[in-house]
Amino acid sequence: MFAVKNLLQSEQRLSKWMNATMLASFITGLVAWIIDLHNVYTQINSLVHILIGTFFFVLATPYFYVHFRRTLAFRRAGLIFSGLCLLALWLVLIYTGFYIAIFGLSESTGYVLQVHLVSVLSFVAVLILHILVHVVFFPKNRQKSTSGQFPSYTKGSKSLLLKVNIAVQASMLLVVLGFAIATPEKTPTQAIIQPYQYNYGEHKFRPAQTETHDDQFVRYEDIAKSQKCVNCHTELGEQWMSSIHRMAAADPAYVTNIDLLTKNKGMSAARYCEGCHAPIALLTGQLTEGGFHGGTINTQAHAEGISCMSCHGIQSLSHEKGNGSYVFAPSTDYLFAETSNAMLEWINERLIKVNPAQHRKEMANPLIQDPKMCASCHSQFMDKEMNSWGWLKMQDEYSAWVDSPYAQHHDREFANADYTRCQDCHMPLVDAKDPSANTDGKARSHRFIGANTFVPVMRNDKTQFELTKKFLQTNKIRLDIDEPNRQDAYHSEFHLDESLRDLTEAPFFFYLGETAKLDVVVTNVGVGHDFPGGTIDINQVWLEFKVVDAHGEVVYHSGDIDEQGFVDQDAYFYRSKPVDRFGNHVWKHDLFNMVGRSFKRTIPAGKSDIVNYSFDVPMWVEPPLTATVRLRYRKLNNQYATWALKEQYFALPIVDMAWESLDIPIELVPKVIDHNASNKGDTGNVSP
């Protein structure tokens, strides 16, 4: 009896605080579930919920032990069963609660929150049932609770519950009030550099087409500091670190060109480029006299290029013509977003992980999955305010994609549900241990693999280069050498059974001494837009066509490279040649001088180009001839590279995107007997 009383006293002492923390935990959890808002109150509520939930765990563990020891001897099946159910549910809600608090919620573990909610609601329902069963089966004993046989909810304990919850809610309101008083009303954000020049009209960011949601400049903290993103999204962050997006402002060729632009047209003209290459510099107001463009070493715009928020902060598009035609909006901060205190930073990360709904809503804007988003920068035009001439369309991968079979578009407002997006090729799903990974453990690659082979080699990033090389060589372009079928095969006087004649295919060969003709078919089978794309005025894509005999002696060669790295100028190129107002070639990529093109050759998606080659077959060749064709690609042609890279110049890598070969028999010119001439006593050669 003495032992039972001791257990009862222990249980009563524990129950007061346990019930108080349980009720407070339930209330704060209910608030977090019902109030679908993102503000100071709800975030503090989440922190308090975690804290009180931890106290509830600490108190409930010994309580369950004492309670089971004291009541197990009563042997009431209903009470024991409901009590065991309560214990099981308590274990589930505690496990899921701690899992969420420690690991947070990700795309693949969102179900944990649902399990937590169901277990909590079930716990409350079973607890009520447990109490009702107790009341029904022990009505007399309940009346004697004051005698010490059963724990009672006295006025004091009820008062304690009320006081604890009032204290919890009051403290939360005080903290919220403190934040409200301490946080001044936001004022319009000014440009970092003052005074700020408006050389292209009243719009802050012209000639870039970029907008902000409130028509104000952007705080540095709202678009930079990508390292904060990398802290949680480690694998995707490492991929981004290798990407050309991250190097968009640090590419030495870009640095040369942006220096050339600002030297000729002033710092404000850099806005034309930096809406895409260095949004940090543009949106914070750096691009004015006295400021620094993204090509400037030791600036954050240079280090981050296209930062995480440069893409994930895009709220909408102003149009699809390009030149940075997006509308930027900062994300909604979580508590302590800008602190430098390690503990507060940890709390900030906890809040995002525990309640990522707002973060997911803004970072996973549906627009980011739409190919139109790529149009904001991967389309480009020039107008009079830049070239002092007139409007001119330049690269436009988006429109080329829309017109391709990959898009399945009849127009920009209608598409087949089964189509291939820009993201499907350039951001494929890869294995990733990341909060954004799907249930299969895959997330979109942030390497943004494309056609830039120069930057990875310059940075000695072998992984990025090999992935880029593989991307270029995997079913993008197909080459075919048409067999030179002849219609002039010589005839003989010998009988031939017509059933043995193949009428569908004539034999192919060349005669010694004749002029041979071969057709090469180049087909764009795997590029979702025109090939080549991007900066085709400075990139280099060409066909190398070579014919050798059986001894390897060269019969014909087009597209060879000399010792200085220059390609044969008579080679067959896929490129454009921009010109200035005087008809001169704009070869330095100084597009602010461009007013048109003298030449452009590309292959639309799903289309083919036929290239004709002809050469003389020497009498000395040893048959058969072998014709080989390669489609070769080099990021930056040698003339531009030597100028733009200066002392950083090196022999740029060349990737063979496709190749094909054909063995061709060689025949002697036949001697055909002229029977009429034979009757006269002579013979003659008759050309075929």
Side-chain angles (χ1 to χ4, degrees):
M1 187 65 180
F2 179 74
V4 173
K5 287 185 177 180
N6 285 340
L7 288 173
L8 183 58
Q9 291 172 357
S10 298
E11 184 179 336
Q12 288 176 332
R13 285 195 301 268
L14 288 169
S15 66
K16 293 180 181 179
W17 290 103
M18 187 203 70
N19 291 332
T21 55
M22 179 175 64
L23 183 58
S25 180
F26 179 76
I27 291 174
T28 53
L30 193 64
V31 168
W33 181 35
I34 294 176
I35 301 180
D36 187 20
L37 295 174
H38 180 81
N39 53 37
V40 174
Y41 177 83
T42 55
Q43 292 181 76
I44 293 176
N45 180 76
S46 296
L47 290 175
V48 172
H49 179 69
I50 294 173
L51 186 62
I52 293 178
T54 303
F55 283 130
F56 172 54
F57 165 73
V58 171
L59 293 169
T61 301
Y63 175 82
F64 271 110
Y65 173 75
V66 172
H67 184 70
F68 268 92
R69 279 195 61 189
R70 187 184 66 80
T71 59
L72 196 59
F74 292 152
R75 301 186 185 279
R76 292 293 186 268
L79 284 173
I80 293 175
F81 178 74
S82 58
L84 291 174
C85 288
L86 282 173
L87 178 61
L89 290 169
W90 176 77
L91 291 173
V92 173
L93 70 88
I94 287 298
Y95 174 79
T96 54
F98 274 113
Y99 183 94
I100 294 170
I102 296 171
F103 300 106
L105 295 171
S106 65
E107 290 295 318
S108 60
T109 61
Y111 68 90
V112 176
L113 177 61
Q114 303 303 319
V115 173
H116 184 69
L117 291 173
V118 171
S119 63
V120 169
L121 295 175
S122 301
F123 182 88
V124 172
V126 175
L127 178 61
I128 294 172
L129 177 64
H130 185 70
I131 294 172
L132 289 175
V133 170
H134 187 75
V135 170
V136 170
F137 283 97
F138 296 95
K140 295 181 180 180
N141 289 336
R142 291 289 298 173
Q143 296 173 4
K144 300 178 181 179
S145 61
T146 55
S147 66
Q149 297 180 26
F150 292 94
S152 63
Y153 294 96
T154 63
K155 293 182 179 179
S157 61
K158 293 179 182 178
S159 176
L160 177 63
L161 295 178
L162 182 61
K163 289 177 180 178
V164 168
N165 283 284
I166 290 175
V168 168
Q169 301 301 322
S171 61
M172 291 170 62
L173 290 173
L174 286 173
V175 174
V176 171
L177 182 61
F179 267 93
I181 295 173
T183 305
E185 183 180 350
K186 283 192 174 182
T187 57
T189 306
Q190 299 298 313
I192 288 180
I193 304 299
Q194 295 291 339
Y196 187 82
Q197 295 175 315
Y198 291 83
N199 295 339
Y200 295 90
E202 296 181 359
H203 195 286
K204 294 177 173 61
F205 307 118
R206 293 290 183 266
Q209 299 295 300
T210 310
E211 312 274 352
T212 56
H213 75 298
D214 57 359
D215 196 32
Q216 300 296 325
F217 291 98
V218 174
R219 296 185 311 153
Y220 168 80
E221 294 80 4
D222 289 332
I223 190 171
K225 294 187 175 181
S226 295
Q227 184 57 48
K228 291 188 66 176
C229 306
V230 178
N231 289 342
C232 288
H233 299 276
T234 306
E235 285 189 48
L236 300 188
E238 290 174 352
Q239 295 168 8
W240 168 78
M241 290 290 289
S242 290
S243 74
I244 305 305
H245 275 198
R246 207 273 288 188
M247 293 296 295
D251 179 344
Y254 173 77
V255 174
T256 298
N257 273 116
I258 197 70
D259 282 339
L260 180 66
L261 174 61
T262 54
K263 180 180 178 181
N264 281 270
K265 299 183 76 71
M267 184 60 72
S268 57
R271 300 170 201 165
Y272 174 81
C273 302
E274 306 247 291
C276 292
H277 279 267
I280 294 173
L282 174 73
L283 296 178
T284 58
Q286 276 276 4
L287 303 179
T288 189
E289 292 306 317
F292 300 98
H293 59 65
T296 307
I297 298 175
N298 296 326
T299 63
Q300 201 65 25
H302 183 85
E304 296 192 38
I306 303 172
S307 64
C308 299
M309 284 304 299
S310 296
C311 288
H312 288 276
I314 294 178
Q315 183 184 67
S316 59
L317 300 183
S318 50
H319 53 75
E320 298 169 12
K321 298 176 184 177
N323 291 10
S325 54
Y326 56 83
V327 180
F328 181 88
S331 62
T332 305
D333 282 341
Y334 282 73
L335 291 178
F336 315 121
E338 298 174 18
T339 183
S340 58
N341 181 279
M343 177 58 71
L344 296 182
E345 284 183 347
W346 183 84
I347 293 175
N348 174 257
E349 290 183 6
R350 288 297 96 200
L351 283 168
I352 296 174
K353 289 183 175 182
V354 169
N355 189 9
Q358 183 69 25
H359 185 67
R360 185 188 299 114
K361 176 182 177 182
E362 294 177 332
M363 298 300 105
N365 183 338
L367 178 63
I368 210 166
Q369 303 177 38
D370 194 323
K372 290 180 181 178
M373 179 172 172
C374 305
S376 64
C377 279
H378 290 277
S379 294
Q380 184 183 8
F381 67 89
M382 186 74 67
D383 53 23
K384 188 174 182 179
E385 64 184 1
M386 282 299 292
N387 64 8
S388 302
W389 182 269
W391 196 91
L392 177 68
K393 189 63 179 175
M394 302 169 81
Q395 63 172 290
D396 189 357
E397 267 60 68
Y398 177 70
S399 292
W401 172 81
V402 168
D403 295 333
S404 78
Y406 292 93
Q408 295 291 307
H409 278 53
H410 295 285
D411 58 50
R412 283 170 168 77
E413 302 303 322
F414 173 78
N416 190 307
D418 183 19
Y419 71 108
T420 302
R421 307 168 302 163
C422 310
Q423 294 88 334
D424 296 325
C425 287
H426 297 283
M427 297 182 68
L429 287 170
V430 295
D431 293 331
K433 295 179 181 178
D434 189 84
S436 64
N438 61 24
T439 53
D440 295 326
K442 294 183 179 294
R444 291 284 171 188
S445 170
H446 279 57
R447 287 184 177 275
F448 305 102
I449 298 294
N452 195 315
T453 54
F454 152 62
V455 170
V457 173
M458 178 196 71
R459 301 182 62 233
N460 197 30
D461 190 337
K462 295 180 181 179
T463 301
Q464 184 78 3
F465 173 74
E466 289 300 325
L467 288 172
T468 303
K469 181 179 177 181
K470 181 180 179 181
F471 178 78
L472 291 171
Q473 292 179 333
T474 304
N475 197 35
K476 297 294 184 293
I477 301 296
R478 181 177 299 158
L479 295 178
D480 292 293
I481 303 175
D482 275 355
E483 295 180 352
N485 297 328
R486 310 181 68 95
Q487 301 301 319
D488 58 351
Y490 60 85
H491 299 274
S492 74
E493 298 292 332
F494 294 102
H495 171 73
L496 179 66
D497 186 342
E498 289 298 323
S499 65
L500 302 178
R501 186 189 299 276
D502 186 354
L503 299 178
T504 62
E505 183 177 342
F508 72 90
F509 55 84
F510 290 138
Y511 289 121
L512 288 174
E514 78 170 329
T515 298
K517 295 181 180 180
L518 285 174
D519 291 336
V520 175
V521 181
V522 187
T523 307
N524 180 355
V525 295
V527 181
H529 46 76
D530 293 352
F531 173 82
T535 53
I536 61 175
D537 59 313
I538 56 175
N539 296 344
Q540 200 162 42
V541 183
W542 76 99
L543 289 175
E544 182 188 29
F545 183 78
K546 189 175 184 179
V547 181
V548 299
D549 71 356
H551 292 307
E553 296 294 332
V554 177
V555 174
Y556 178 80
H557 198 180
S558 171
D560 194 13
I561 300 177
D562 64 23
E563 294 180 355
Q564 285 73 42
F566 289 90
V567 181
D568 168 19
Q569 289 302 302
D570 293 328
Y572 195 87
F573 290 95
Y574 293 95
R575 63 184 178 186
S576 73
K577 282 190 173 182
V579 295
D580 63 17
R581 68 187 64 199
F582 306 107
N584 298 317
H585 183 197
V586 180
W587 64 271
K588 294 181 179 179
H589 202 58
D590 45 331
L591 300 180
F592 56 89
N593 288 321
M594 178 181 174
V595 299
R597 299 180 185 86
S598 65
F599 174 84
K600 180 181 179 182
R601 180 187 288 133
T602 59
I603 309 175
K607 304 294 184 181
S608 297
D609 182 33
I610 300 177
V611 187
N612 310 118
Y613 289 97
S614 64
F615 55 92
D616 293 330
V617 181
M619 299 297 294
W620 50 261
V621 299
E622 183 70 25
L625 294 182
T626 300
T628 303
V629 62
R630 294 190 291 178
L631 181 71
R632 314 203 76 187
Y633 169 80
R634 176 163 60 181
K635 178 63 180 178
L636 307 182
N637 66 68
N638 213 42
Q639 180 186 23
Y640 173 78
T642 53
W643 170 79
L645 302 182
K646 300 179 175 59
E647 67 278 358
Q648 298 184 62
Y649 173 80
F650 59 93
L652 303 184
I654 297 173
V655 175
D656 292 332
M657 294 184 60
W659 50 89
E660 183 62 75
S661 65
L662 178 69
D663 289 336
I664 307 170
I666 298 296
E667 300 283 351
L668 295 174
V669 177
K671 289 184 179 181
V672 179
I673 298 175
D674 186 334
H675 293 283
N676 294 327
S678 179
N679 292 334
K680 296 176 182 179
D682 63 354
T683 60
N685 291 339
V686 179
S687 298

